[in-house]
Each structure stands twice: as C-alpha cells, then as structure tokens.
Amino acid sequence: MERPDPIQDYLQRLKPLARANLLTELERLEMCGTEIPGSAEVVASLRAEFRKDGSTQTRMSNPSRYFFAALEPLLIDGAPEHANSGRMLRGSLSPIWEWISRDLLPTMARDYATAITDMIGTDKKREAQQTASTFQTKVLKSLENTLSTPDGANQTRAKLATYTASRSVYDDLTKMLCVLRAREALLKFNEALPPSLGKFEDGQVAKVTALLDVFAKGNTEALPFALALVARKLKTSWHLIRLATKAAPSKNAADIAAMPYAITVSMVLDRLDDKRGALRLALKNNRVLVAREILTDIYDTEYALQVRIDALDHSDWGARLKYLMNAIAELVESEVSRFPDNVGHVLGSRSLRSHHSLAGRLTYLAWKGRDVVSGGAAYCKKLIGQT
C-alpha cells in the first residue's frame, strides 16, 4: 500500500485561499534569495493548482484585476526588501485585496464583485471600468479615514500581516492610496508622454520636464509615480537621471541633489537593485547567458553614474552604489569560483567589462573599492585573465 505524502496531505487540509497565499509567500521568499529546503516540491504542486496556464505569477480575479488596473503600469515583480520609489510590488496586490474584501469594506466589496462579474459576463467592459472606478473612490475614502490615526494604521498593519509576512505590503498600500488620489492626473500625464524615449537627449528631456512641471503643481506626492511612467518609456533605464543632471548647474552630487527631480538617481539605483535580484535568480537557474546580459547592463549603469555625477563616492547615492556593486561582485565571485582557474567563464570575460570599448575605465570602475569583498586587485586580475 502506497504511503500518503505528508506534504500533499497538509496542503489539502488548507483552504484554497490559504494555499494561494502560501504560494505567494514562497515565491516572495524566493525573490529575496531565501532558500527553504523542500520548498520546490510545494511550489510546483501549488503552481499546478493555481497556474494551470503555466505562468509563474498569481493571476488576479476579474474584480481585483479591474480594481487594480490603474496600478498596472507601476507594478513590478521583484524582491520586497528594497526600495522602489514610484512602484509597487505585484505580490502585494493579493493580500491588499483580501484585506479590502474581508476587513475594510466586505459588504461593498462583495456587491462590487457580483456586479462587475455580471458585466464582464455580458461583455459590458466600459460599464465594468466605471464600476471599478466607483469602487476605487469608495476604497480611497475609507482608506483615508482608516489610516488617518496611529491606531487605524497599526490595526491595518496587523490585519495585513495575517495575509502576508512581507514587510512592504503596508507601504504598498499607502502608495496605492497616493495613486488612487492622482489616478486621473497620472493617466493624463502618461497619455501626454511620447510612446517611447530612445536616447532621451536634450529635446526630449526638455519636453518631459515641462510635462512633469505641470503635473507636479497639483500632485507633488504622486511625482515618483509620474517619473516611474517616464522610466517605462526609456530604452535605457539609467537615462532617467538626465532629468536631474541636465538641469543642474554642475556635475557635483550636491548640486544634482538640489534639483527638483533628483529622486531619479535613487530610482535608477532601485532598478540596479532589481537587476541584482535578477542576476541572482539567473545564476541560481544556471542561465549564464542571461546573467551575462544582466551583468553588462549593471556595469553600464554603474559607469553612467560614475561619469555623470562628480563626488558620487561622498554622497548617500555613492554609498548605496558601492553596497550594491559589492553584493553583485560576491554573486559573480561565487559563480566564477565554481570553475578551475584554468577554465574560462563568460562572466569573467574581458569583453564583458570592456563594453562600448571602455576596457580600462570600465574594469576599474566596475571593481573599484571592492578589496574588502573579493581580494581586490588580485581578484580583478584573475577575472581579467579568464577570457
């Protein structure tokens, strides 16, 4: 007689909502780089149940999908443990929706879900969007009231903690509140932007800056979200800093920090942190060529920050850049060290760090200040020798 699988037995004892939340939490921990022995089997089982289309991200129900539509351009699939100015984690939506439906406005949420499901079933998409907008306004007003006091905020944190262990979900809830307040202005701003921003040079920078200036007059708190919409249009992510550097009187970090859109430098560092997570996952899954592309992009971003901001090393931006690049160097070192010294590795190729024919300078900048992590110059020479 075949013995029952204790893991499957445990999973089946959980309610469907609990199993779905468990899958979200396990994927969140994976994005953070947390290893949980034996979790692969559980994740595979839960994905087979909830992701019959083979996707690796939670699919929202129609009521929640319509409700969160205004947030879609601002959502990212990333680790919740680092800053994301102007963006929200997609993984936060499920626990937020459960909290809205079960704790904040349970009756209204149930009525909304019933109404919008009927509209979708009869292909009344415009009416469904209007219904979603009306419910967004109700949630907005209730949120403003609930979060207006310390007790209300603390109770909200406690309730959200019953749906997820993510420490960022409350912050994402407050971001959602800000976006809902400015949703019409953000939509209008996004529609005014060009479909794409290629090299993002002087002419385009001036036009986008003018649009941002108008937006900021009545929506100061939502400015990071407007900047995130700009970033989505860019072909090269680090070009976002040009909104600050081109307006500054000099390249000095202090002058750039005083510019209205100085937050763009932090936002580029946020994206560098995203790439660190992507690099870790690529290496974990032995996708070395993907890791090579990510690493090249990382080095390009570091170089751009170094050459466009003077005295960067003496700023908070520089400290964060150094921390991120040290962490990235550790990932690369761990991967390369798996191979004998006489065996080349694509991540140690000279061409990787000589992108755009900047061999000497990129090699220096990419490994500058890392002696404490990887043995400094000796380690650098070791990698350069592996082609």
Side-chain angles (χ1 to χ4, degrees), residues 293-313:
E293 293 180 3
I294 295 170
L295 195 56
T296 298
D297 196 12
I298 286 171
Y299 289 157
D300 284 350
T301 299
E302 183 196 22
Y303 177 74
L305 291 169
Q306 291 276 12
V307 299
R308 284 164 176 78
I309 304 177
D310 291 343
L312 181 64
D313 291 344

Side-chain angles (χ1 to χ4, degrees), residues 232-289:
R232 292 181 76 245
K233 308 279 188 177
L234 293 172
K235 183 178 180 181
T236 304
S237 62
W238 68 259
H239 284 180
L240 190 65
I241 68 171
R242 288 177 172 169
L243 289 167
T245 58
K246 287 189 175 294
S250 78
K251 292 173 59 179
N252 188 274
D255 285 337
I256 294 171
M259 293 297 98
Y261 306 120
I263 192 177
T264 56
V265 180
S266 296
M267 294 175 76
V268 168
L269 290 170
D270 291 346
R271 284 152 178 76
L272 194 62
D273 210 349
D274 291 342
K275 291 166 190 172
R276 176 180 61 148
L279 177 65
R280 182 180 60 241
L281 286 178
L283 293 175
K284 178 181 177 181
N285 295 315
N286 293 317
R287 302 178 65 188
V288 179
L289 293 180

Side-chain angles (χ1 to χ4, degrees), residues 72-91:
E72 184 61 37
L74 306 170
L75 298 177
I76 61 165
D77 300 310
E81 312 307 330
H82 69 76
N84 272 303
S85 300
R87 299 182 297 170
M88 291 178 55
L89 292 167
R90 192 179 299 276

Side-chain angles (χ1 to χ4, degrees), residues 25-37 39 81 280-281 284:
E25 286 298 289
L26 290 174
E27 290 177 332
R28 181 184 68 81
L29 291 171
E30 183 181 37
M31 288 299 300
C32 296
T34 303
E35 298 286 346
I36 303 178
S39 65
E81 312 307 330
R280 182 180 60 241
L281 286 178
K284 178 181 177 181

